Amino acid sequence: SSVVDGNLKIADLNQGQSANLGRTKIVGTLDAGYSLSLSDKWALGMGGTYDLSSARILDVVLLNGKVKNHTSLYVQPTYLFTTNTAGFAKLAYHKAVLAGEGGLISQNGGFSESIHGTGIGFGVKSYINSDVFVQFEMISTKFKTKSVVLGGDTSTPVKASLTSMNVSLGYQFN
């Protein structure tokens, strides 16, 4: 599962002002990957993730926003510290849907926009036995700016970002 700290930056919220509004949530994530051994100490992992629920990134009186259908594809260079413990970096392409509803947004039926961006992270993986491992990682994801209609006819630039701290229990097929 992941502890996700979401943030939505809204430009021109009120006469040129902008707001950074965030929210934290626990999200279940599926992660499937494959690693290629490059040497005794190095491996290159690649895989994909899918969040099992949405991450609410904005929850204030007049606005509610969330990131849903979040998926990623990643590459993960890994260095083996010992036979049971490894450290890794992760570079990923992320895709999701940014959805808004409630308050001012409900006047126009809300919005639902496809967004994409990149993520970078690092972590540690430690094997409990030859097949089962526990993994800790932190990932920062920045999505591209998207224009949405919050109320009325005016389009407003918004930019979503996520910071995830993941704790995983996994199984490696040998």
Side-chain angles (χ1 to χ4, degrees):
S1 68
S2 304
V3 176
V4 178
D5 179 31
N7 186 281
L8 184 65
K9 182 175 184 176
I10 303 172
D12 299 323
L13 187 60
N14 185 14
Q15 287 113 13
Q17 297 176 348
S18 66
N20 279 319
L21 305 164
R23 187 79 179 170
T24 301
K25 183 177 181 189
I26 295 176
V27 176
T29 303
L30 294 177
D31 186 336
Y34 182 79
S35 289
L36 300 169
S37 179
L38 302 176
S39 71
D40 290 347
K41 292 284 186 181
W42 287 96
L44 180 63
M46 56 201 88
T49 65
Y50 177 76
D51 288 356
L52 297 174
S53 64
S54 62
R56 186 167 295 282
I57 59 171
L58 176 63
D59 192 4
V60 294
V61 175
L62 296 176
L63 302 170
N64 295 304
K66 60 186 171 184
V67 171
K68 59 184 187 176
N69 300 332
H70 180 208
T71 61
S72 73
L73 296 174
Y74 63 84
V75 293
Q76 180 176 298
T78 303
Y79 181 78
L80 296 165
F81 298 123
T82 68
T83 55
N84 293 332
T85 305
F88 60 87
K90 187 177 274 190
L91 180 62
Y93 169 79
H94 293 258
K95 183 178 174 190
V97 173
L98 177 62
E101 57 199 20
L104 294 172
I105 299 170
S106 64
Q107 295 172 7
N108 67 0
F111 64 83
S112 183
E113 296 285 340
S114 183
I115 56 175
H116 64 93
T118 55
I120 189 163
F122 61 90
V124 176
K125 178 188 279 190
S126 185
Y127 284 86
I128 297 168
N129 62 36
S130 63
D131 299 321
V132 178
F133 62 88
V134 64
Q135 180 170 298
F136 302 95
E137 65 182 301
M138 184 158 187
I139 301 170
S140 176
T141 304
K142 307 284 187 210
F143 292 99
K144 302 285 185 197
T145 300
K146 198 73 169 186
S147 290
V148 299
V149 178
L150 296 177
D153 298 328
T154 307
S155 182
T156 302
V158 297
K159 184 175 181 117
S161 63
L162 299 172
T163 302
S164 305
M165 293 176 287
N166 306 328
V167 178
S168 307
L169 182 63
Y171 185 84
Q172 177 175 313
F173 297 96
N174 291 317

